Amino acid sequence: MQPLTPGDPPYIGPHRLLARLGAGGMGEVYLARTPDGHLCALKVVKEDLAFDTRFRARFGREIRAARLVRGPFTPAVVDADPDAPAPWMATEYVPGPTLKDAVLAGGPFPEPSLRVLALGLARALDTIHAAGIVHRDLKPSNVLLSPRGPQVIDFGIARAVEGTVLTRTGQTLGTPAYTSPEQVTGDEVSPRSDVFSMAGTVVFAASGEPPFGAGHPAAVLHRVLSGAPRLDTVPEGVLRDLAAVCLAKDPEARPDTDRILEELSALPLPSAEHGWLPSPVTQQIDLRENESQRA
């Protein structure tokens, strides 16, 4: 969390800006307070996308769909204005680090935490898919960590940039290390594409590395298409078996979320008393909650 800069507006829509939370490929993210006093994460689209009429149309459609997504593992959309000079969307604020930041700072997650992570991601995808949305860019930086479980963000937003300035400049949708083979080849993308990305996200949490390694995007995409994922750090048994089948090259060979949930629900989970997150992550969440209360 960073303080606002002199160039930041005091308000976006009816929401008062409090601090900067970060920035991504689509724009700036702010901590804001709604008129009724609640905190929200407000994402403002950057200028080059704001001038693209096709993006605006897609962004509006995705917002309407995203408003239908309601579940314990998906922060709700609380407000949006796709027609503003700089389009924006506000969601419930989750005062936790991303999975990416938590693993890079504290190392891989233990097996009990991995079980809750996988189960929560599968439930989030089940909720998202039930609303007719395919996430298309599920990755560790799009998973926020909360005591109540992982929180999947930015669902459906990747679709809004299809056919806009991003693709016209040759950029690839999705993140290479977690992109499904069918996204690479330009074939039809279905909910099972998200299943592939979900498995890659769990592998990262277990190892600190994506399943097909790091490096130049072209080399990573080649391994996604033809290489075998590295799964030796994923605990043996259900978690590793599920990761292997979810990372199948053929989407028809991957399980759907119903089957994933059935298998994961049989695993023992950490007690509510001790929580599911490693203690350093819980400490980070406490610090962020204190920061947000002071903002």
Side-chain angles (χ1 to χ4, degrees):
M1 188 180 301
Q2 299 294 326
L4 297 173
T5 69
D8 291 323
Y11 283 84
I12 292 178
H15 310 294
R16 181 166 62 91
L17 301 190
L18 303 175
R20 282 176 165 258
L21 293 177
M26 287 184 59
E28 304 288 342
V29 186
Y30 297 96
L31 176 67
R33 193 171 297 281
T34 66
D36 58 3
H38 293 101
L39 294 175
C40 66
L42 194 151
K43 176 168 287 189
V44 184
V45 170
K46 60 185 181 179
E47 187 175 7
D48 59 345
L49 288 173
F51 282 109
D52 192 297
T53 55
R54 285 181 293 182
F55 169 79
R56 281 182 176 272
R58 289 177 180 271
F59 189 54
R61 288 197 296 271
E62 293 306 314
I63 288 171
R64 288 191 292 274
R67 286 182 183 274
L68 302 176
V69 178
R70 294 280 179 169
F73 304 103
T74 52
V77 175
V78 297
D79 200 4
D81 188 353
D83 300 318
W88 56 269
M89 178 174 68
T91 60
E92 291 177 314
Y93 174 60
V94 179
T98 66
L99 176 63
K100 178 181 179 180
D101 289 343
V103 171
L104 292 180
F109 279 18
E111 183 173 358
S113 298
L114 292 174
R115 292 174 180 173
V116 178
L117 174 69
L119 184 61
L121 293 180
R123 286 179 173 168
L125 287 183
D126 195 53
T127 302
I128 292 166
H129 296 161
I133 298 173
V134 178
H135 192 296
R136 297 170 181 258
D137 196 22
L138 181 59
K139 56 188 176 182
S141 60
N142 275 339
V143 177
L144 296 173
L145 300 177
S146 161
R148 70 176 189 256
Q151 303 293 304
V152 174
I153 62 173
D154 284 359
F155 39 86
I157 297 303
R159 181 175 175 83
V161 302
E162 291 180 349
T164 67
V165 292
L166 293 181
T167 52
R168 289 202 300 272
T169 57
Q171 296 185 32
T172 302
L173 287 172
T175 302
Y178 304 95
T179 299
S180 67
E182 57 269 28
Q183 286 175 282
V184 179
T185 57
D187 293 331
E188 182 180 355
V189 174
S190 72
R192 297 194 191 209
S193 177
D194 288 343
V195 165
F196 186 96
S197 301
M198 182 198 76
T201 299
V202 173
V203 171
F204 172 82
S207 64
E209 295 285 343
F212 298 95
H216 191 279
V220 174
L221 291 174
H222 177 74
R223 292 194 292 271
V224 168
L225 287 173
S226 59
R230 182 176 176 182
L231 302 178
D232 56 296
T233 58
V234 181
E236 292 184 355
V238 171
L239 281 179
R240 187 182 296 184
D241 292 345
L242 269 178
V245 70
C246 288
L247 289 167
K249 308 299 184 190
D250 179 2
E252 294 301 317
R254 299 174 207 146
D256 59 18
T257 52
D258 285 342
R259 179 185 154 195
I260 295 169
L261 289 170
E262 181 181 355
E263 297 204 25
L264 290 174
S265 296
L267 296 177
L269 300 176
S271 67
E273 178 183 358
H274 296 98
W276 75 280
L277 290 164
S279 57
V281 180
T282 301
Q283 292 170 9
Q284 286 187 58
I285 292 173
D286 291 340
L287 287 173
R288 288 170 185 249
E289 286 182 331
N290 291 333
E291 285 181 351
S292 65
Q293 293 301 321
R294 296 194 300 267

